[in-house]
Amino acid sequence: MSSSLEKIILGIDTSCDDTSVAVVQGRRVLSNVISSQDEVHRAFGGVVPMLAKRAHETQFPIVLKKALQRAKVTPENIDCIAVTRGPGLAPALELGLQKAKELAQEWNKPITGINHLEGHLWSAVAETSTGSGGWKFKSADFPILGVIVSGGHTELYEITGVGQYTHLGGTVDDAFGEAFDKAARLLGLGYPGGAALADLAESGDSAAYSLPRPMRLTPDYNVSYSGLKTALVRLVEEVSQKNQRLLTETEIRNLAASFQAAATDTILNKVQKALKEHTYKHILLGGGGAANKQLRKKLRIIAKNYSSELHVPNKNSLLRDNAAMIALAAALRLEKNIPLNAEMDRIPHWKLESPDENKL
Ligand code: KG4
Ligand code: ZN
């Protein structure tokens, strides 16, 4: 149970196309407000960095006000401000850092920069505002296998402590969520269509079409998604040309299910390899793509086979880009007496395992 003496942290994340401000106390999430920019970028079929920055600018004051109101706190109650320094889109990161610095000055509060990926990794430890839920890890639980599947990242890490990460592998091209979004676009499911594709796939036959699992047998923990996307493009052409007509609803469902099976197998093959070659009693799963039901279902089975326990956040709002996970990463650092990093320049390609830039 969290104590009321724990620090109250205001989190800010503007790393991509979601404007988010949150308030946490220790591991308890008091508020987590997210404003999506999907409408802004839809016409372009992808995120336009300068438009993202402008939308963050407009949304920030509204989101901040809501976050404070929902958490029932005033600026005086805030002990520290935690903001994402990277990785992310440079103009978008800049806006969040600028706002964080302005607030820190106005409210006279300390400020700390957080790696966005550290937030995604630990989101499963988040508790509700009343202190329920959330995985309560102990030092004996390390090393932990960390898996991030989001729109911009697909990464595997060995976690040996808070702030101690070794990169095992990741995507060499497209990210997991990005691949879902591209496949969804190809199947005419809109932008960003990852979640819509996954919904359709639920009622499709994943064995209807055969799609590749690229890099399945490579001796590393890396994955690739661009070959799968190309294979889907060819398959869609083949199916529609053969029948001399547009895809039917059933064909779209089956293509979605076959794609989802290949995309989830691709990352899970490497997760399984990591579990086979190391001993990880616990797995932390995070990122927007972790909302995928098939991925979770298959990962639970694999984890069980290796006597490992899977931990996922209790809310989908903690999976997608959000500021609660940023404040939470700062809270964990405080909990473990790790001095907070006060450097405030943006690092668009910040690697979580990078010892120099992550140095405290
Ligand atoms: O974590 P997130 O908000 O953004 C990044 O940090 O990049 O993840 C968003 C991504 C999008 O690509 C979205 O299509 C994907 O997660 N996503 C899904 C599902 N729900 C969201 N991908 C597969 N299955 C889902 N159910
Ligand atoms: Zn993210």
Side-chain angles (χ1 to χ4, degrees):
M1 187 60 120
S2 309
S3 110
S4 60
L5 294 173
E6 279 166 332
K7 296 266 187 280
I8 298 184
I9 303 173
L10 182 93
I12 297 172
D13 186 86
T14 62
S15 57
C16 189
D17 59 343
D18 289 309
T19 314
S20 183
V21 180
V23 179
V24 309
Q25 182 164 27
R27 297 186 186 185
R28 284 180 291 146
V29 178
L30 305 187
S31 67
N32 188 20
V33 181
I34 308 165
S35 165
S36 157
Q37 298 178 5
D38 286 349
E39 294 302 326
V40 177
H41 305 286
R42 181 159 293 132
F44 304 92
V47 181
V48 183
M50 286 316 287
L51 290 184
K53 181 178 181 172
R54 214 180 300 159
H56 284 314
E57 174 114 61
T58 320
Q59 282 305 306
F60 188 83
I62 304 163
V63 173
L64 170 67
K65 194 172 165 196
K66 273 192 199 159
L68 293 172
Q69 274 172 354
R70 283 188 199 164
K72 298 190 179 66
V73 296
T74 59
E76 296 84 69
N77 304 129
I78 305 291
D79 293 302
C80 172
I81 298 169
V83 56
T84 302
R85 282 176 75 193
L89 302 171
L93 290 167
E94 237 160 50
L95 197 277
L97 283 157
Q98 180 202 321
K99 294 291 173 195
K101 281 186 243 176
E102 284 170 11
L103 289 180
Q105 195 157 29
E106 193 186 324
W107 298 347
N108 192 24
K109 304 289 177 188
I111 184 169
T112 186
I114 294 292
N115 187 305
H116 180 83
L117 297 172
E118 187 168 41
H120 273 311
L121 269 188
W122 288 107
S123 43
V125 308
E127 296 171 1
T128 64
S129 59
T130 53
S132 65
W135 178 42
K136 292 164 184 62
F137 65 92
K138 299 184 257 350
S139 43
D141 295 326
F142 293 101
I144 296 166
L145 178 64
V147 183
I148 299 176
V149 279
S150 71
H153 292 272
T154 309
E155 318 286 350
L156 296 187
Y157 294 97
E158 174 170 301
I159 309 171
T160 44
V162 174
Q164 292 167 33
Y165 313 104
T166 305
H167 191 235
L168 296 177
T171 182
V172 297
D173 40 55
D174 293 350
F176 180 86
E178 185 183 5
F180 269 77
D181 292 337
K182 286 182 177 171
R185 198 158 142 193
L186 190 66
L187 297 177
L189 305 176
Y191 167 87
L197 183 145
D199 275 352
L200 270 185
E202 286 292 303
S203 53
D205 175 8
S206 62
Y209 303 102
S210 148
L211 283 164
R213 274 73 170 152
M215 290 184 72
R216 187 171 65 89
L217 297 172
T218 59
D220 49 31
Y221 299 108
N222 290 333
V223 295
S224 161
Y225 280 101
S226 80
L228 173 58
K229 181 197 67 193
T230 312
L232 184 67
V233 171
R234 287 214 195 98
L235 182 59
V236 167
E237 278 169 8
E238 213 179 280
V239 176
S240 41
Q241 268 168 21
K242 193 174 90 187
N243 301 313
Q244 296 285 308
R245 54 160 172 71
L246 294 174
L247 297 174
T248 64
E249 172 92 19
T250 308
E251 281 164 353
I252 292 175
R253 284 181 197 281
N254 290 346
L255 284 162
S258 304
F259 169 83
Q260 177 172 259
T264 50
D265 280 354
T266 295
I267 180 71
L268 292 176
N269 278 329
K270 295 301 169 97
V271 169
Q272 184 161 6
K273 180 174 159 67
L275 290 170
K276 200 168 164 183
E277 294 172 2
H278 306 256
T279 302
Y280 298 119
K281 281 183 277 174
H282 299 275
I283 304 167
L284 281 171
L285 178 66
N292 190 279
K293 289 185 195 143
Q294 272 298 311
L295 179 80
R296 288 186 186 207
K297 197 170 149 191
K298 290 199 254 181
L299 182 50
R300 273 190 207 290
I301 296 168
I302 294 170
K304 204 166 165 214
N305 287 343
Y306 290 89
S307 307
S308 189
E309 203 183 326
L310 176 65
H311 305 278
V312 287
N314 45 23
K315 274 187 178 173
N316 277 1
S317 54
L318 289 161
L319 287 175
R320 59 184 288 203
D321 284 351
N322 70 94
M325 68 181 194
I326 302 305
L328 198 70
L332 287 179
R333 284 176 171 260
L334 282 175
E335 195 184 299
K336 303 294 169 204
N337 292 317
I338 304 173
L340 295 178
N341 188 344
E343 278 172 51
M344 274 306 131
D345 51 330
R346 57 173 169 76
I347 314 175
H349 299 287
W350 194 5
K351 289 191 187 328
L352 183 59
E353 68 281 14
S354 155
D356 287 328
E357 286 159 326
N358 212 10
K359 189 178 67 202
L360 296 165

